[in-house]
Amino acid sequence: MLKGEALRAKAMRGGVWLGAGSVAEQASRFARNMILTRILAPSAFGAMAIVMSSSAIVGALTEVGVRQAVIQNRRGQEKEYLDAGWWLGLGRAIITYLIIFAMAPLVAHFYGLADLSSLLRVTLLGTLFDGAMSPRSALAQKDLKFGRWMVISNGGGICGVILTVVLSLVMHDVWALAIGFGSESIFRCVLSYILYPGFPSLAWERGAIRDLYEFSKQAFGLSFLNLIFSRTDIFVLGKLYPATALGLYSMGVALIVTPSIFLTSMFAQTLFPALTHVQDDKERINRILIEVSSWVILLGLPGVAVICLWGRPLLSVAYGARYAAAAGPLAVASGVAFLNLLNAAITCVFTAVGRPALHRRAVTASAVAMLIVIYPACKLLGMVGGQVAALVAIIISYLLQVFRMRSLTGLNLLRYARTFVPAALASVGILIAGYGFRMFGLTVKPAMNLTIGAATCITAYTLCLLAVMRRKSTG
């Protein structure tokens, strides 16, 4: 599966490289969070959640998908395309930061947090370095050479995480988080030029600009609509509830959002470029989508059941007893993350065939649903309402994308739906077992809780894997 120059082998090797790097990065982030939740007050994480959400909204408004356009285009490896993409990306970064710099005082006034303005301006300096990365670094993904991209992306993240921990031990306040986050982009930029040296020329080819513009025009607005889905809960909860409560919520949800982002990034960095090589073969695209989705379902659905039952002890052990209050949002967030991963696989197909606009209807529907549901859900259900609104929105988006796939590639919906059966049966078994353990009083201590949860999950995974292997052998 890993040897040779076939597309599957290249994608698998890339997955191994990126998987190893991403696991190392996410493990370092998890370790950082375990340390920082015991050093910093929850209000610091609440303030940073607002900072990140405010910056994300500006970044989404100016996102034009230049890097994806370079990777998707058949001529994307040519210097003219790489240079044009670099200048467009740098221009976007400068505009983004200027907008953030100007709006920072308004955001601070809205939330009544005096330091928020300075935090925004310092943290988001990293935006400029993101836009200034080596133009040739896009070739790492374009040519499925993910070893170097792992060093750039994950290496920069790990360096920033280490700096954040060091600064927090010295500073003991939110500025350690702000400086540490901004430094991640600086490290990535430096590493990109070390591994892919070379600066862009001033000469632009009109054809390259035209092609990049045509692709970007289809993708324009998608990031902003996605942002409404992913960040509206922070804006609304930050206004309705104290920063301390928002900090508990954001760190609790981050426990599942962090690995979800890791997997979504893996799709974007491996599945998307792999699919661009077979963009005209509909049957093969469907086969790849079903295989990838089956593994997401196999690993994800039992995991959702485990988190719903054992989220509270997991948060207590990871962050401390006070963070167990975020068990409700964490449970719902696990369902949101699961559906979002399945959605991301379909989105990779739309982007790979050069039609990102197909994603717009589903994203628009999820954004509208989020805006309608979020405020009443947060008022009626408290902190968990933020994730309930997100769950409603992602269900609508996912169903629309599945039916869009049927019209685009002729996806067999019955065959696709059958991939849910083994994992669904295993998840029901986990829920029955979990409530049974509670009835007999075996889940009193957090350590015992987690041990039982892990054993139950491993058993479910084993049964699911056996069922899938049997189905493939007979199918």
Side-chain angles (χ1 to χ4, degrees), residues 62-72 81-82 84-90 92 138 212-213 215-216 219:
T62 57
E63 176 60 58
V64 291
V66 172
R67 192 177 190 90
Q68 291 85 351
V70 171
I71 295 171
Q72 190 274 334
Y81 275 75
L82 296 173
W86 189 88
W87 285 108
L88 289 174
L90 180 63
R92 169 194 172 268
L212 292 174
Y213 170 75
F215 183 92
S216 300

Side-chain angles (χ1 to χ4, degrees), residues 364-406:
T364 302
S366 66
V368 171
M370 191 72 176
L371 291 174
I372 293 173
V373 177
I374 184 67
Y375 186 80
C378 290
K379 286 290 288 185
L380 294 173
L381 303 175
M383 304 302 287
V384 75
Q387 288 303 306
V388 170
L391 182 61
V392 172
I394 194 61
I395 289 173
I396 294 172
S397 175
Y398 173 60
L399 292 177
L400 288 174
Q401 294 239 112
V402 169
F403 286 108
R404 175 71 73 165
M405 274 296 300
R406 182 177 63 174

Side-chain angles (χ1 to χ4, degrees), residues 121-137:
R121 289 171 172 175
V122 171
T123 304
L124 276 303
L125 279 170
T127 303
L128 299 175
F129 291 91
D130 283 334
M133 287 176 61
S134 170
R136 296 182 62 244
S137 63

Side-chain angles (χ1 to χ4, degrees), residues 56-66 68 92 212-230 347 356-368 371:
I57 194 170
V58 178
L61 284 170
T62 57
E63 176 60 58
V64 291
V66 172
Q68 291 85 351
R92 169 194 172 268
L212 292 174
Y213 170 75
E214 287 299 323
F215 183 92
S216 300
K217 184 172 63 175
Q218 295 189 64
F220 182 75
L222 287 176
S223 293
F224 178 68
L225 293 170
N226 275 315
L227 176 73
I228 294 175
F229 161 72
S230 62
T347 302
L358 293 177
H359 182 48
R360 182 172 285 112
R361 183 179 70 170
V363 179
T364 302
S366 66
V368 171
L371 291 174

Side-chain angles (χ1 to χ4, degrees), residues 38 41 47 98 156 161 178 225 277 307 332 343 370 438 443 448:
R38 290 163 171 82
L98 291 176
V161 166
L225 293 170
H277 291 263
I307 291 174
V332 182
N343 220 16
M370 191 72 176
R438 289 185 179 182
T443 57
M448 177 63 74

Side-chain angles (χ1 to χ4, degrees), residues 274-427:
L275 287 169
T276 60
H277 291 263
V278 295
Q279 55 186 272
D280 298 321
D281 190 341
K282 294 182 178 181
E283 182 179 349
R284 196 171 180 186
I285 287 175
N286 288 335
R287 190 164 62 247
I288 292 172
L289 175 65
I290 289 176
E291 183 173 352
V292 170
S293 299
S294 66
W295 283 105
V296 172
I297 295 165
L298 174 67
L299 298 174
L301 203 52
V304 172
V306 168
I307 291 174
C308 288
L309 288 170
W310 288 286
R312 182 173 291 274
L314 182 61
L315 287 167
S316 297
V317 172
Y319 298 150
R322 59 183 173 180
Y323 285 89
L330 172 62
V332 182
S334 64
V336 174
F338 169 69
L339 292 176
N340 199 37
L341 284 173
L342 293 174
N343 220 16
I346 299 176
T347 302
C348 286
V349 175
F350 295 158
T351 311
V353 299
R355 301 182 66 184
L358 293 177
H359 182 48
R360 182 172 285 112
R361 183 179 70 170
V363 179
T364 302
S366 66
V368 171
M370 191 72 176
L371 291 174
I372 293 173
V373 177
I374 184 67
Y375 186 80
C378 290
K379 286 290 288 185
L380 294 173
L381 303 175
M383 304 302 287
V384 75
Q387 288 303 306
V388 170
L391 182 61
V392 172
I394 194 61
I395 289 173
I396 294 172
S397 175
Y398 173 60
L399 292 177
L400 288 174
Q401 294 239 112
V402 169
F403 286 108
R404 175 71 73 165
M405 274 296 300
R406 182 177 63 174
S407 61
L408 177 67
T409 65
L411 178 67
N412 187 322
L413 297 185
L414 181 60
R415 183 184 174 194
Y416 182 79
R418 281 203 299 263
T419 59
F420 283 86
V421 176
L425 294 175
S427 300

